[in-house]
Amino acid sequence: MTALNTKTFATMVSDQVTSIQSKASQLINFTIGSVLRALVETNAALGLWLQSMIIQVLGVTRASTSSDSDLDSWMADYGVTRIAATAAVGQVTFSRFTPTTQAIVPIGSIVQTADGSLQYAVTVDLSNPSYTTAGYVIAAGTASVTVPVQALVAGASGNAAANLVTALAQTILYVDTVTNAAAFSGGADAESDTALRARFVAYIASLSKATVTAIGYAIAAAELGAYYSIVENKKYDGSADLGYFYIVVDDGSGSPPAAFITTVTNAVDAVRPITTRFGIYTPNVITAAVAMTVTVASGYDAAATRALVVTALQTYINSLALGQTLQYTRLAAIAYGASAGVANVSGVTLNAGTADLTATAQQVIKHSTVVVS
């Protein structure tokens, strides 16, 4: 689209005054408060309004310039919808000081961070031995029970760090405290405008084509944040097999659930070339154990600063895609960037060494332990 030659209010007034004066044989009064000045400024205000309407109409008629609901409406004409946000999930532990009486944690009980900004509801886990239709039972003589929860509001903000969910939103009889020993995961914001536009291009490229691009689009559309690698004419073990391809796919967790694998399988099956066969595999997880010593600057809380470094390292490592290398030298840079209170980083080790941790297209790297002393 050619750039519009837009004008400001002052320019519109100036252009009118110049045009009118050039047609007159004597000097015309355009001082502030004069009748002609008022008419000129009125025309300029109307021109600005018309100009803004033109810009708005042009903006919403093209996918590259529209946004939010306008972009959604544009994409809907082609049957493409924005991938919705997903809610974070995790485990919390309910505990009590006096475990003499049986307690029940009802399904739907709300827990939250200390400031109440993030809230989570207890969900059903049929495999949990403490689960009953009434809720999770803390038997007499038992001090605690660990149960699953899900964020009430979908989005990446729900991925709370460890030990942040520490408050009960309501009273639960014979239960005193709650905490999350591990960070929550799985929360993702809705697909951004930029990502939706990029996926739309892939969608157009995939139409009526049983290609790698078409298969990749089908996987990407299955769930926000899906990572994948496609290998053609080979089995998973590396042996040749013409007409067969395999896909290693991950939802970002390193251990995608069966429901995710089923969704991807169905999506790929709908676009695969006729007579071809394929297999879907989850990634092999390579664990990364990181240790380092952080010197905290004067005036900063040492424990809080080191906790920020731990969270930053865990987040970075867990964000690595299939086959992506974890660079040893990157670890110190992440630590420095975690807080202005980090004065020095030393003694950095990665799996007890100082070498990069590499991964193949079948592997993904996730953190096992991150120790910052």
Side-chain angles (χ1 to χ4, degrees):
M1 182 175 67
T2 303
L4 293 176
N5 182 23
T6 58
K7 295 183 178 182
T8 65
F9 178 80
T11 301
M12 290 183 180
V13 170
S14 176
D15 287 351
Q16 291 179 79
V17 168
T18 301
S19 178
I20 294 171
Q21 185 64 66
S22 67
K23 301 298 190 295
S25 59
Q26 60 184 9
L27 190 63
I28 298 176
N29 180 17
F30 285 109
T31 59
I32 296 176
S34 66
V35 174
L36 278 178
R37 177 62 177 251
L39 289 173
V40 166
E41 290 183 341
T42 300
N43 288 337
L46 180 60
L48 274 183
W49 178 77
L50 291 173
Q51 178 178 270
S52 68
M53 291 297 100
I54 292 170
I55 292 173
Q56 183 175 352
V57 170
L58 289 175
V60 299
T61 53
R62 302 179 75 244
S64 62
T65 52
S66 57
S67 60
D68 301 324
S69 59
D70 292 322
L71 181 59
D72 290 337
S73 175
W74 204 96
M75 294 295 180
D77 290 340
Y78 296 86
V80 177
T81 57
R82 189 186 301 267
I83 299 175
T86 56
V89 295
Q91 300 274 332
V92 298
T93 300
F94 291 92
S95 305
R96 64 260 190 83
F97 301 127
T98 308
T100 56
T101 306
Q102 175 179 286
I104 295 180
V105 178
I107 303 299
S109 297
I110 306 299
V111 296
Q112 60 190 25
T113 53
D115 60 2
S117 60
L118 299 175
Q119 292 190 317
Y120 305 82
V122 174
T123 57
V124 172
D125 179 8
L126 298 178
S127 64
N128 192 315
S130 300
Y131 172 76
T132 67
T133 54
Y136 295 94
V137 176
I138 309 178
T142 302
S144 64
V145 66
T146 300
V147 304
V149 295
Q150 178 174 301
L152 295 185
V153 178
S157 61
N159 295 324
N163 302 313
L164 280 186
V165 181
T166 57
L168 299 169
Q170 73 285 297
T171 300
I172 300 178
L173 195 62
Y174 305 123
V175 172
D176 300 307
T177 65
V178 66
T179 189
N180 61 314
F184 292 169
S185 62
D189 295 329
E191 188 174 26
S192 66
D193 288 346
T194 300
L196 179 55
R197 292 190 191 99
R199 188 164 62 84
F200 180 73
V201 172
Y203 163 72
I204 295 299
S206 73
L207 292 177
S208 302
K209 297 177 183 178
T211 62
V212 171
T213 300
I215 293 171
Y217 172 77
I219 298 170
E223 183 172 317
L224 186 65
Y227 302 100
Y228 64 90
S229 63
I230 302 174
V231 179
E232 300 179 84
N233 295 321
K234 285 185 179 181
K235 292 183 179 179
Y236 185 77
D237 62 9
S239 60
D241 187 354
L242 299 181
Y244 179 86
F245 65 95
Y246 72 86
I247 302 169
V248 180
V249 64
D250 185 22
D251 62 351
S253 67
S255 302
F260 173 76
I261 299 301
T262 299
T263 299
V264 171
T265 300
N266 292 337
V268 172
D269 191 45
V271 298
R272 69 177 176 87
I274 190 172
T275 74
T276 61
R277 298 162 293 113
F278 70 94
I280 305 291
Y281 297 88
T282 58
N284 293 319
V285 176
I286 299 177
T287 57
V290 178
M292 64 177 59
T293 299
V294 168
T295 302
V296 179
S298 176
Y300 288 85
D301 183 281
T305 300
R306 292 188 175 102
L308 288 174
V309 174
V310 170
T311 300
L313 289 168
Q314 290 175 340
T315 300
Y316 173 74
I317 294 171
N318 289 341
S319 70
L320 296 176
L322 289 166
Q324 190 171 354
T325 297
L326 174 55
Q327 297 172 328
Y328 168 77
T329 54
R330 179 73 173 169
L331 299 175
I334 293 170
Y336 279 115
S339 170
V342 177
N344 189 48
V345 177
S346 60
V348 180
T349 61
L350 174 56
N351 285 358
T354 58
D356 294 345
L357 189 58
T358 60
T360 68
Q362 298 177 354
Q363 299 171 322
V364 66
I365 299 173
K366 300 294 178 184
H367 84 272
S368 58
T369 59
V370 176
V371 179
V372 177
S373 57

